[in-house]
Amino acid sequence: EGLFMAIIKKEPFGKLSDGRAVELYTLRNTKGTEVKVTTYGARLVSWCAFDKDYKRTDIVLGYGDAATYEKDDTSMGGLVGRHANRIAGGKVVIDGKTYQLDLNTGSHNQNHIHGGFQGFHQKLWTAETTDEGVKLTYHAADGEGGYPGNMTVNVLYSLSNDNELSIRYEATADADTVCNLTNHAYFNLDGFAAGPVLDQEIQIFADKYTWADAESLPDGRILPVDGTPMDLRQLTRIGEHIDDDFDELVMGRGYDHNWVIRDEQPVVEQESGMFGFDPGCPIDYVNGGLKKAAYAESSSSGLTLTCYTTQPGVQFYTGNFLDGSLPGKDGVRFERRTGFCLETQYFPNAFANPDFPQPILKKGDTWRAQTVYVLGHKD
C-alpha cells in the first residue's frame, strides 16, 4: 500500500494551432484509478475512480483535446506560473529593482494574474516517465511575462495505490525571480458532467483568510473567519452561504479567496529521489511538512477529496466565472459553479503586502513545493 505505480500510457492529444504535437499521459494504479496529464500546460485532464456504487467517475473538469485547451481562458487543470493568482498593477520589486509584468486581469486590465498572457499553463512542456510518475519540464526565458531570469521548472505527477495524487514542484533560476506555482484543477466529486457543486460539502483548515477587494486583491488584512460565511472550519454545504449578503462574497460572486492554512510548519526535506521522495514509502504527511488544507465530500457519489500542501495558503474558488463557452469532455458545457478549485499558494498580492510570505526564488536556490490530493470514500 502507498507505493507509487508506474503503469503509464502515452498517446497523442492533438495539435496546437502552430502545428506542434501534444501528448497525453495516463497513470493507473492497482485500484483501477486513472489520472491523465497533458504536455500542454502540464494540465490535469482527468481523474477517474470508482464511486460508492462502483460507477467510474471522472472528478476533473476538462477538454477532449489540446486545441480546445488552447482556446480555454479559465486555466482549466493548468499548471499555473510563474505567479499563480493576482499582483496589483503587475509590479514586483526584487533587489530594489521594479519589474513590470503583463497586465492581463482586472476591470481595466490593470493587474497581473497566473503568469501573464502566456503563463505556464499555456506552454508546451516536455515529458518523461520515471519510476514515480510523469515528470514535466519547462524552461522559461528571461523576460517572459515580464519576469526576470531564465527559470527551469520540473513538475512530477505521481499516483499511489492509495489514490494519492502528488504534485511535486522544483524550480531554479539564474537570477532572483518570482516563483508561486499551483495547479488550477476544477473538481466535481459527482463527475465533471454533474452540474453545480453547491450540494457538495467543503471544510477548510484555516482560522483566518486574506481580505480581498473587488479586484480580488488582498490589502494586507488577515481576518478571522469567526462569525462570517468564510468560516468553513466545519463541513459546510458549498451553497449554504455562497450568496450571502457579505462584501467578500458579493465582490467575488461567490467564494474566490485565500485562506491561511493553520499550523504553519517548516518543510522537512527527505534525502532520496529527485523530489526528495522515496518511492518505497507512503507519503509522510507530517514529517514531509505537508499540512491538511481542505477536505470535500459528496453524499451523492460518496467520494471524498483531501488536500495537503507545503504552501501557506489555499485559494478556494467555486467556478463563479465558468460560462460554458467551450465544449468539454463528452461535449459537456461547464457552466457557472460546476467545479471548485483548491489552489495551494503563497498569498495573492504579496509584493504589495510585505508581511505576507514573499514568493521570491533566489538565484542558485531550488524552490520546492508539494501538494497532495487524496481521493477516498465516505465511511
Side-chain angles (χ1 to χ4, degrees), residues 33-275:
T33 300
E34 283 189 353
V35 165
K36 293 181 191 283
V37 181
T38 177
T39 50
Y40 179 68
R43 296 184 189 228
L44 182 62
V45 172
S46 70
W47 188 356
C48 271
F50 293 105
D51 72 6
K52 65 178 169 56
D53 301 318
Y54 213 67
K55 179 174 147 233
R56 272 189 86 69
T57 304
D58 179 356
I59 66 159
V60 169
L61 277 56
Y63 303 112
D65 56 37
T68 316
Y69 275 103
E70 194 178 13
K71 296 183 188 120
D72 169 70
D73 63 359
T74 68
S75 310
M76 187 75 69
L79 201 293
V80 179
R82 294 184 197 195
H83 187 283
N85 220 311
R86 295 164 179 84
I87 298 174
K91 285 208 172 15
V92 299
V93 179
I94 304 173
D95 304 327
K97 185 173 176 192
T98 302
Y99 295 90
Q100 179 61 59
L101 308 180
D102 287 352
L103 298 176
N104 63 322
T105 191
S107 50
H108 301 93
N109 270 357
Q110 74 276 42
N111 302 315
H112 177 87
I113 193 171
H114 296 339
F117 294 113
Q118 282 286 308
F120 288 178
H121 60 296
Q122 295 156 297
K123 300 292 186 182
L124 189 59
W125 295 54
T126 55
E128 62 181 289
T129 58
T130 77
D131 290 344
E132 300 173 71
V134 181
K135 184 182 113 182
L136 295 124
T137 302
Y138 178 66
H139 301 287
D142 177 38
E144 199 174 279
Y147 292 97
N150 296 291
M151 179 196 262
T152 296
V153 182
N154 290 304
V155 178
L156 180 71
Y157 283 93
S158 306
L159 176 67
S160 81
N161 282 328
D162 291 329
N163 285 345
E164 301 158 321
L165 174 60
S166 164
I167 308 174
R168 280 183 177 262
Y169 305 87
E170 244 186 36
T172 56
D174 63 4
D176 291 1
T177 190
V178 181
C179 189
N180 180 26
L181 311 180
T182 197
N183 181 279
H184 205 299
Y186 291 78
F187 298 107
N188 187 323
L189 296 180
D190 293 331
F192 67 81
V197 293
L198 299 179
D199 286 331
Q200 293 167 37
E201 295 183 282
I202 187 74
Q203 183 176 14
I204 298 180
F205 300 95
D207 305 307
K208 298 172 180 163
Y209 71 99
T210 51
W211 186 90
D213 66 14
E215 303 288 352
S216 298
L217 292 164
D219 64 356
R221 281 181 285 169
I222 295 177
L223 302 181
V225 298
D226 283 334
T228 77
M230 313 304 274
D231 189 349
L232 302 173
R233 292 175 293 187
Q234 305 300 316
L235 204 54
T236 305
R237 196 176 142 266
I238 290 174
E240 188 74 25
H241 296 292
I242 199 168
D243 290 318
D244 282 12
D245 185 16
F246 180 70
D247 63 345
E248 288 294 86
L249 296 177
V250 172
M251 290 189 290
R253 293 186 65 200
Y255 292 108
D256 187 9
H257 300 82
N258 172 72
W259 274 258
V260 180
I261 302 166
R262 189 185 295 152
D263 296 330
E264 183 67 23
Q265 59 185 346
V267 178
V268 178
E269 288 185 24
Q270 296 162 353
E271 290 306 312
S272 52
M274 169 194 155
F275 286 81

Side-chain angles (χ1 to χ4, degrees), residues 17-31:
S17 53
D18 62 8
R20 287 180 297 167
V22 179
E23 295 164 348
L24 186 70
Y25 286 79
T26 303
L27 299 160
R28 190 169 200 272
N29 70 12
T30 54
K31 288 193 168 80

